[in-house]
Amino acid sequence: TKFSNSASWPRAPAHLVPLASLASGPESLHAVTAAREWTLIYDGDCAFCRRCVALLAQWDRHGRVRAVPFQEQKARAKRTVNPRVLRKLAQDEAESVRFYVASNRYTPYETLIALASDESPSVRWAVAINDSIPFEVMPALAEDMDLVVRMGLATNLHTTPEVLTRLAQDIVPVRRRSAGNPTTAPAVLEGLSKDPDMQVRQAVGRNVSTPPPALGRLAMDPAEPIRVAVANNPGTPQGA
């Protein structure tokens, strides 16, 4: 359980207040919060934390402490459309909060650019799959050391054809997703239709952007799942 100064929260690290220091009652709380307003972030799933918050609420005669369960922070990050709130939550020390900010389509452009360099791969992945992904961060995410980030970028319908062309040369899990992305350039899909990996070719066979010559070739592929994918593709020419 921790206190943070609401004037700077969450830009600055929270000021930690040991619960033991409040053992003497309202007087000790007043000493901690005097002349300031604070936000208390606590674990809403913790019964002990909830009891402490209830006790603090009784002591807080001047209304200087606002108690917020960190689960609520995640919900706000996921649902809010307020850019000011999203900018603040993007600096939260909890990875899960930043993750939901990074996946929120209403997160401001410059905030997504900053989160694309987050230390957490899950946060970078959330930026990579965001419909509002900034063009500027795509090349860096395409070279990300974490595989899941590149995979996410390869599935995003808003990833540029140029970046998808680069991802189509990546390892198999990334190529599979590039092969299934309708934004991938037809010429790239033509090349992927000859990929040695069966699931890459199958993804090409399902892709509505795959050019007819490639679909015709895949219709004769020795692997049955690929032929079935082509047969179910609405873009497959009759007689293929």
Side-chain angles (χ1 to χ4, degrees):
T1 304
K2 59 194 176 185
F3 280 111
S4 65
N5 187 340
S6 62
S8 59
W9 176 85
R11 295 181 180 277
H15 174 60
L16 300 181
V17 179
L19 290 175
S21 67
L22 304 177
S24 60
E27 293 75 16
S28 58
L29 177 67
H30 179 73
V32 169
T33 63
R36 287 188 178 184
E37 292 183 356
W38 295 79
T39 296
L40 171 67
I41 301 175
Y42 69 99
D43 184 354
D45 294 330
C46 168
F48 172 74
C49 298
R50 293 196 301 270
R51 288 196 298 270
C52 289
V53 168
L55 184 60
L56 289 174
Q58 296 176 25
W59 291 351
D60 184 23
R61 297 188 298 266
H62 303 290
R64 292 195 178 107
V65 178
R66 182 171 68 96
V68 179
F70 73 76
Q71 291 86 351
E72 179 181 315
Q73 295 296 86
K74 291 193 291 185
R76 291 179 70 202
K78 186 176 182 179
R79 298 188 180 95
T80 186
V81 299
N82 187 318
R84 181 183 61 82
V85 172
L86 286 164
R87 288 189 189 96
K88 287 186 176 181
L89 292 174
Q91 300 176 55
D92 197 282
E93 64 185 31
E95 176 185 326
S96 57
V97 174
R98 300 196 309 276
F99 169 83
Y100 283 115
V101 175
S103 60
N104 190 323
R105 62 180 300 185
Y106 297 103
T107 296
Y109 200 83
E110 71 279 3
T111 302
L112 286 175
I113 291 177
L115 289 171
S117 301
D118 195 275
E119 63 182 10
S120 166
S122 67
V123 174
R124 300 197 304 275
W125 175 81
V127 175
I129 65 170
N130 194 317
D131 288 346
S132 301
I133 181 173
F135 294 116
E136 293 92 326
V137 305
M138 292 183 188
L141 292 177
E143 301 291 337
D144 197 280
M145 294 295 294
D146 200 282
L147 174 62
V148 71
V149 176
R150 305 197 307 276
M151 290 169 60
L153 186 63
T155 63
N156 193 328
L157 300 180
H158 299 276
T159 299
T160 63
E162 293 77 16
V163 172
L164 286 169
T165 297
R166 182 185 307 181
L167 293 169
Q169 303 170 38
D170 207 314
I171 61 177
V172 169
V174 181
R175 293 205 310 276
R176 289 174 183 168
R177 286 154 179 81
S178 296
N181 193 324
T183 308
T184 300
V188 175
L189 292 172
E190 175 74 34
L192 289 172
S193 70
K194 306 171 186 176
D195 196 278
D197 183 78
M198 186 193 78
Q199 292 187 37
V200 171
R201 301 197 308 277
Q202 185 179 18
V204 175
R206 288 194 299 258
N207 196 323
V208 295
S209 298
T210 299
L215 289 172
R217 181 170 52 256
L218 291 172
M220 297 182 290
D221 195 281
E224 181 180 2
I226 296 175
R227 300 197 302 272
V228 171
V230 173
N232 292 328
N233 190 326
T236 298
Q238 291 186 352

